[in-house]
Amino acid sequence: MATNNNNETVYIPLEDVESEHCALIVEKGLAKVDGVTSPKVELNNRRAAITVTNNETVGKAVAAIKDLGYGVPTVKNTFPVLGMTCASCAGSAESIVKYEPGVIEASVNYATGNLTIEYLPNMTDANKLQKAVQGVGYDLLIVEEAKQQESLETIHAEKFKKLKNKTIWAVILSLPVVTIGMFFMDMPYGNEIMWFFSTPVVLWLGKDFFINAWKQAKHRSANMDTLVALSTGIAYIFSVFNMLFMDFWHQRGLHAHVYFEAAAVVIAFILLGKLLEEKAKGNTSTAIKKLMGLQPKTVMVIAPDGTEKQTAIEAVNVDDIILVKPGEKIAVDGMVTSGNSYVDESMLSGEPVPVLKTENEKVFAGTINQKGSFQFKAVKVGKETMLAQIIKMVQDAQGSKAPVQKLVDKIAGIFVPVVIGIAVLTFILWIILGGENGLVKGLLAAVTVLVIACPCALGLATPTAIMVGVGKGAENCILIKDAESLELAKKVNAIVLDKTGTITQGRPEVTSIQWLNNNDTTKTILLSIEKQSEHPLAEAVVKHLEGVATAPLANFDSITGKGAKAEHDNETYFVGNKKLLAENNIAIAEQLKTQADDWGKQSKTVIWFANSKQALSVIAISDKIKETSVQAIKEMQEMGIELYMLTGDNEATAKAIAEQTGILHYKAEVLPQHKADFVKELQQQGKIVAMVGDGINDSTALATADVSIAMGKGSDIAMDVAKMTIISSDLAKIAQAIRLSKQTVATIKQNLFWAFIYNLIGIPLAAGLLFPINGFLLNPMIAGAAMALSSVSVVSNSLRLKWKK
C-alpha cells in the first residue's frame, strides 16, 4: 500500500463498545498494533482516535479491533472502473485508491473492470474515491444507491433494527420457558419443551455473547460478554446434563432440576437492556444531530455563464458563487456579492433578531435566510466552516474524559476478573458449607453473581452525563472544549473579566473631539497615523474622520499599551494615552485637561493627539455596556463569585464602568502581559479562577486561568486557547455554564453512587449472603432483570439533565 509518512489522526468508528471497560480493552489492543501511536477510545462518539504514519496501519488497527470481538462499521462496495486499457491501469487505479485515507482494503480486477473496496464511511465516501481515481485519468461509476447506504447513521439504524428483532424473538421464545419453569414444572415432557424453546435463545440469539467472550479469552481479557456467556452457558449445560442424566442425581438421593428458564430469560433481559440503552444513548447525542441538521444537502451554484446548477454540498469549492432563495439555509461560510436580505443567525449567536446582510458582509453555514434573495461567494467550505468547527468541538468534548473517569477506569479494568473470582469463591464455599444441595445451589449462586454484576453501569456513569451536558451547552450557545473544564467550572470562585467586548459591546465610537486650534492639516495627520494603527480604538477614529484626506508619513511606530508615533514634515506626532505624552514631556493646555477629566468621569476612554511640544487635541471614545452585562454581573455575584475587571483604559473610565455595572474590584491601565500575572496572583491566594476575554491580547491570561472562557464574537486565537466559548458573547451565559457544570457533576456523582451501590448490594445478595438468615436465594432471572435495569437507569438519569433549566 502506498504510504504517506506524515503522522495523521484517524477516527475509527466502533460498535459494541458499550462501556469504559470495553474502551480500555480496545485501547490496549490498539497499542499493540505496529505503527499506531497514542490510541484513545472516545466512548460517547463511538470511535477510536489513533495516530498513524501510513494508510496500511488503519487496516491492521481495524483487524485488531475485530479480533477483540468488537465491531467496526465499514462499507463494502463494488464500483465499475471506467477508462482502463490494460492490466497495469488496474494496478495504478488500485494503488491510488489504497492511498486514500480511510480505505481498509481495495483491489481492482482488470478482467471484470471492477473495484472491490472496504472503507470507513466517516473518512471517505464514493465521491472522494471517484475524485481520486479521476485524478489519475480513470473514472468510477457511482450509483445513487451506494451513497445512501454509506452513512454511519444508516449502519447504526440497521444494527438497532437487528437488535430489536433479536430482543423480540428472545422475549417470545422465553415466555413459554418461564411459564413452564415457574408453574408447570411437573407436566409431561416439560424439560424437553423448555430445552426446545431455550436452545435458540441461548445458541442463536445469544451467540454474539459467546463469540465475543471467546475472542476476549484469546487475548487474555474479559468483559461483560464474558460474564453473560459464562453464566448462561453454565446454566444451559448444567440443565442439559440434568435432563439427560437424571439418574446421576437420583442415585445420590437428590432431585435433578433444570434451569433453562434462567439461561433464556437472562439473555432476553440483557438484550432488552441493550436495546433500551441504545435508544437512550441515541437521545444523548441529539445535540450533534441538531447541529448536523443545520446544513443543507444541496445548493444552487451559479456557473460563470450565469446558469444555475444544483450541486451536492460536498462538491462546493471555494470562490463558487451560490444563490440563496427566501427561507433557505446557508450552506457554507462566505461573503455576500449581490442582493441583500435579513438572516436568522440565532442557532450560532443566540440573538433572536435577524441580521441585515448587504454586499461584502459575512454569512455563515447553518443560518437561515429570511424573505430576500442574494448571491454570495464561498469562502470556507467543508470542514473549514464555523458550523463544522462547532460540530467538531462538541464531538471532541463529548469524547474527552473527565478527571473522575480515571479512577472509574481503574475499577472497570479489574471489575470482570474480580467478579469471576467472587463467583468461583461462592461456588467453592457453597460446596463446602451448603450441605446436601450445596453443589446445585452453589452453581446457581455463582451463575447469579456473574449475571448481576454490571460493569456497564459503572462505565456509562460519567460519559453519558458529559455527553448530555456538553450537548445541552451547545444548544444554549455555550461551547465546551473538554470534560475537564465542564467538571472544574462548578468550583470557580473568582472570575476575571476583560472590559472591551466582554462587559462592553466592543464597538468603540468617537463621541467628541476637542481641538486646541481646529485646522485641516492636524486632522489629516491624525487620520493617517490611526489608519496605520491596528488598535480597535484607532478604528473608531478612522470611522469618525471619514472623508478627510490623508498625508504621507515616515517612521511609523506602534508602542504597545501606549499608542503610536510617526513623522510628517520633520515633526514627530503622537497618538495614545496620557502616559505616552508624559514620557515625551509634552505640554497639555488647561482647557484640554479639564475636558479630558470631565469625559473620564463619564466612563469615556480618552486618547490624546500631540506633536513633539504640545497636545493638539483630546478625543473621547465610548464603548457601550451590553444590555445583559449588569444583570449577568449581579447574578454571578449572587452565586458567591468574586468578579475582577481588567482594562487598558485609564483609572477614571475603569471606575465609572465598575460603578455602572456593580463590579467591586477593578484594575485600570493593565498591559496585556500583566493580565496573566494578575490571574496567577489570584490562583496563589487559593482561588479557582475563570478568565473571560475576547481578544488576542487576552490569550496568555486565558491559557493561565483554571477555566478559560472566550467570547464568540472575538478573535480566533482567543477561541482556540479557551476551554469554553460563549458563541453569543452574552455574559449571562457564564452563570448558565457554571450552573450546567454543577448539574452535570451532580449527575455524575448520582450515577457513580447508583452503579457502586447496585454492585455492592447485588453481588453479596446473589452469592447467597441472606440464605443462612432467612433462606433467601436470588433467582438468576431477577438478577438478569436487575442488571439490565442498572445500565438503563444510569443513562436515563443522565438524560434528566436535558430537561433541567
Side-chain angles (χ1 to χ4, degrees):
M1 227 184 237
T3 62
N4 49 337
N5 288 321
N6 51 347
N7 286 356
E8 62 167 333
T9 302
V10 174
Y11 293 103
I12 300 177
L14 300 172
E15 280 178 344
D16 309 318
V17 178
E18 304 296 355
S19 72
E20 280 296 343
H21 178 232
C22 301
L24 284 173
I25 293 171
V26 174
E27 271 178 19
K28 280 181 192 162
L30 285 171
K32 291 176 187 165
V33 177
D34 273 351
V36 169
T37 48
S38 54
K40 173 178 177 265
V41 172
E42 298 175 2
L43 183 65
N44 285 329
N45 293 331
R46 300 184 177 193
R47 65 185 189 184
I50 58 171
T51 307
V52 295
T53 47
N54 63 44
N55 223 4
E56 270 178 11
T57 316
V58 179
K60 289 181 194 166
V62 171
I65 294 168
K66 287 182 174 173
D67 199 34
L68 284 165
Y70 300 102
V72 176
T74 58
V75 174
K76 289 178 181 172
N77 234 322
T78 304
F79 300 110
V81 183
L82 311 177
M84 290 195 297
T85 53
C86 63
S88 69
C89 295
S92 95
E94 184 177 307
S95 62
I96 199 76
V97 171
K98 283 182 171 177
Y99 187 77
E100 274 297 286
V103 171
I104 297 164
E105 196 61 56
S107 70
V108 175
N109 183 329
Y110 179 60
T112 60
N114 282 345
L115 159 71
T116 308
I117 187 165
E118 183 181 3
Y119 58 88
L120 299 172
N122 60 321
M123 287 192 65
T124 190
D125 56 38
N127 283 334
K128 285 182 186 165
L129 296 169
Q130 185 181 33
K131 272 187 182 169
V133 173
Q134 285 168 343
V136 287
Y138 313 110
D139 202 352
L140 284 189
L141 183 65
I142 295 171
V143 193
E144 268 310 302
E145 187 189 22
K147 288 186 190 172
Q148 269 123 36
Q149 289 173 344
E150 63 186 19
S151 71
L152 275 175
E153 284 293 311
T154 327
I155 295 172
H156 281 314
E158 274 299 305
K159 188 168 174 265
F160 186 77
K161 200 168 143 193
K162 273 187 193 162
L163 183 61
K164 195 174 176 181
N165 289 339
K166 270 189 184 178
T167 308
I168 293 167
W169 275 108
V171 171
I172 291 169
L173 293 171
S174 299
L175 280 172
V177 186
V178 176
T179 315
I180 297 170
M182 297 291 233
F183 309 109
F184 305 106
M185 286 165 74
D186 299 324
M187 69 181 272
Y189 300 110
N191 289 355
E192 284 79 0
I193 294 169
M194 287 197 286
W195 179 48
F196 176 77
F197 279 108
S198 63
T199 301
V201 177
V202 177
L203 302 183
W204 172 50
L205 299 169
K207 73 172 187 290
D208 286 350
F209 295 118
F210 294 96
I211 293 168
N212 292 342
W214 170 243
K215 285 179 176 175
Q216 290 287 320
K218 279 197 305 191
H219 291 274
R220 294 193 184 156
S221 63
N223 65 358
M224 192 193 103
D225 292 332
T226 314
L227 298 180
V228 177
L230 275 175
S231 53
T232 53
I234 291 167
Y236 179 79
I237 291 165
F238 185 60
S239 304
V240 171
F241 178 83
N242 289 359
M243 180 182 75
L244 299 175
F245 305 106
M246 280 192 174
D247 293 348
F248 176 82
W249 298 107
H250 292 160
Q251 286 161 9
R252 288 162 176 73
L254 295 171
H255 186 62
H257 279 289
V258 292
Y259 297 98
F260 288 121
E261 78 279 8
V265 172
V266 164
I267 283 182
F269 270 134
I270 286 167
L271 287 172
L272 181 65
K274 272 194 165 188
L275 186 76
L276 295 171
E277 195 184 299
E278 281 296 315
K279 186 120 183 88
K281 279 205 295 210
N283 288 336
T284 59
S285 61
T286 47
I288 283 275
K289 285 179 192 148
K290 270 187 199 165
L291 286 170
M292 286 176 165
L294 291 175
Q295 197 169 32
K297 298 278 177 282
T298 58
V299 295
M300 198 62 81
V301 172
I302 310 274
D305 60 2
T307 54
E308 295 176 9
K309 185 187 170 204
Q310 186 130 15
T311 308
I313 183 82
E314 298 83 17
V316 174
N317 297 312
V318 174
D319 290 340
D320 278 356
I321 301 292
I322 295 165
L323 172 69
V324 185
K325 293 175 182 166
E328 286 186 346
K329 286 178 183 165
I330 291 164
V332 295
D333 294 0
M335 187 84 81
V336 178
T337 52
S338 68
N340 60 54
S341 176
Y342 281 90
V343 173
D344 175 5
E345 296 188 336
S346 58
M347 58 287 302
L348 289 183
S349 65
E351 306 285 339
V353 184
V355 185
L356 178 63
K357 299 287 180 183
T358 54
E359 227 169 289
N360 294 329
E361 298 239 356
K362 288 180 182 173
V363 288
F364 298 101
T367 55
I368 301 169
N369 181 28
Q370 301 289 295
K371 295 192 172 72
S373 175
F374 62 88
Q375 292 181 11
F376 74 94
K377 182 166 83 171
V379 176
K380 288 181 176 175
V381 299
K383 291 178 184 166
E384 301 301 312
T385 65
M386 184 163 156
L387 179 66
Q389 300 282 352
I390 290 173
I391 291 171
K392 185 179 183 319
M393 199 164 165
V394 173
Q395 270 185 324
D396 288 348
Q398 291 185 336
S400 65
K401 287 185 183 181
V404 67
Q405 187 66 46
K406 290 177 184 130
L407 171 71
V408 180
D409 281 356
K410 281 180 185 162
I411 295 165
I414 56 166
F415 187 86
V416 175
V418 166
V419 169
I420 293 172
I422 293 172
V424 171
L425 186 67
T426 304
F427 181 55
I428 293 167
L429 286 174
W430 269 100
I431 289 176
I432 298 167
L433 309 170
E436 57 180 24
N437 264 345
L439 176 74
V440 178
K441 284 190 174 136
L443 203 61
L444 260 191
V447 164
T448 313
V449 167
L450 293 170
V451 169
I452 205 163
C454 187
C456 286
L458 263 182
L460 289 167
T462 315
T464 50
I466 291 287
M467 190 157 192
V468 178
V470 169
K472 194 174 163 73
E475 283 169 18
N476 287 291
C477 293
I478 303 163
L479 285 187
I480 297 157
K481 227 182 213 175
D482 59 20
E484 193 169 343
S485 48
L486 182 61
E487 199 181 316
L488 195 61
K490 74 178 271 285
K491 297 179 183 166
V492 166
N493 51 18
I495 296 180
V496 178
L497 301 166
D498 172 53
K499 178 188 77 87
T500 311
T502 302
I503 296 171
T504 62
Q505 286 176 345
R507 289 195 295 271
E509 291 164 4
V510 172
T511 53
S512 37
I513 298 184
Q514 171 96 7
W515 296 92
L516 188 61
N517 34 26
N518 196 350
N519 67 41
D520 287 344
T521 318
T522 46
K523 278 186 185 173
T524 302
I525 296 162
L526 172 61
L527 177 65
S528 306
I529 295 177
E530 290 295 51
K531 265 198 164 160
Q532 289 196 33
S533 171
E534 288 172 356
H535 200 283
L537 296 181
E539 221 172 286
V541 177
V542 172
K543 215 171 182 184
H544 186 75
L545 293 175
E546 227 171 323
V548 175
T550 54
L553 299 177
N555 301 331
F556 175 85
D557 184 18
S558 176
I559 306 155
T560 308
K562 288 169 191 160
K565 66 174 183 175
E567 287 171 18
H568 175 73
D569 280 351
N570 297 324
E571 172 65 275
T572 306
Y573 291 89
F574 298 88
V575 182
N577 56 20
K578 209 168 176 182
K579 260 189 195 168
L580 185 66
L581 273 61
E583 279 175 14
N584 291 282
N585 301 319
I586 294 166
I588 300 173
E590 199 52 48
Q591 72 201 68
L592 295 183
K593 207 170 187 175
T594 314
Q595 184 62 69
D597 292 345
D598 197 31
W599 283 337
K601 286 173 192 156
Q602 294 170 33
S603 81
K604 289 179 180 173
T605 303
V606 175
I607 60 172
W608 299 84
F609 172 50
N611 59 21
S612 55
K613 298 178 195 69
Q614 61 174 355
L616 302 175
S617 78
V618 62
I619 305 153
I621 296 177
S622 168
D623 187 5
K624 284 184 191 150
I625 293 171
K626 287 181 195 167
E627 287 169 22
T628 52
S629 291
V630 179
Q631 181 55 37
I633 285 163
K634 189 178 166 205
E635 208 176 320
M636 287 188 274
Q637 286 168 334
E638 281 168 1
M639 289 168 86
I641 296 166
E642 284 182 20
L643 297 181
Y644 300 83
M645 180 182 81
L646 300 185
T647 175
D649 268 340
N650 60 43
E651 178 70 27
T653 308
K655 188 177 180 201
I657 292 220
E659 280 169 2
Q660 283 172 35
T661 53
I663 290 177
L664 304 174
H665 313 283
Y666 67 89
K667 258 186 135 173
E669 298 180 10
V670 180
L671 294 174
Q673 59 268 36
H674 295 157
K675 288 182 182 176
D677 297 339
F678 182 71
V679 169
K680 276 185 198 150
E681 255 173 63
L682 292 176
Q683 286 169 329
Q684 279 157 7
Q685 293 166 26
K687 292 185 166 72
I688 304 286
V689 184
M691 168 76 197
V692 186
D694 74 328
I696 294 172
N697 59 1
D698 300 321
S699 51
T700 327
L702 285 168
T704 311
D706 299 297
V707 175
S708 44
I709 303 169
M711 287 298 177
K713 293 206 173 116
S715 76
D716 291 347
I717 293 183
M719 283 188 256
D720 280 348
V721 173
K723 291 292 170 70
M724 288 188 190
T725 301
I726 310 289
I727 308 179
S728 57
S729 291
D730 179 356
L731 264 189
K733 297 282 179 194
I734 295 172
Q736 278 187 20
I738 291 169
R739 276 197 294 273
L740 178 67
S741 166
K742 286 182 174 167
Q743 290 169 353
T744 307
V745 173
T747 304
I748 290 173
K749 284 180 176 166
Q750 290 158 10
N751 285 351
L752 286 174
F753 175 77
W754 164 245
F756 276 116
I757 284 293
Y758 164 81
N759 281 304
L760 284 173
I761 293 173
I763 292 173
L765 271 185
L769 193 71
L770 293 179
F771 189 77
I773 303 161
N774 58 10
F776 175 78
L777 198 57
L778 190 65
N779 187 319
M781 290 192 288
I782 293 164
M787 184 215 152
L789 195 71
S790 72
S791 292
V792 177
S793 61
V794 162
V795 179
S796 307
N797 188 43
S798 293
L799 282 173
R800 276 182 46 237
L801 256 180
K802 266 186 157 178
W803 321 123
K804 285 191 178 170
K805 281 225 164 69

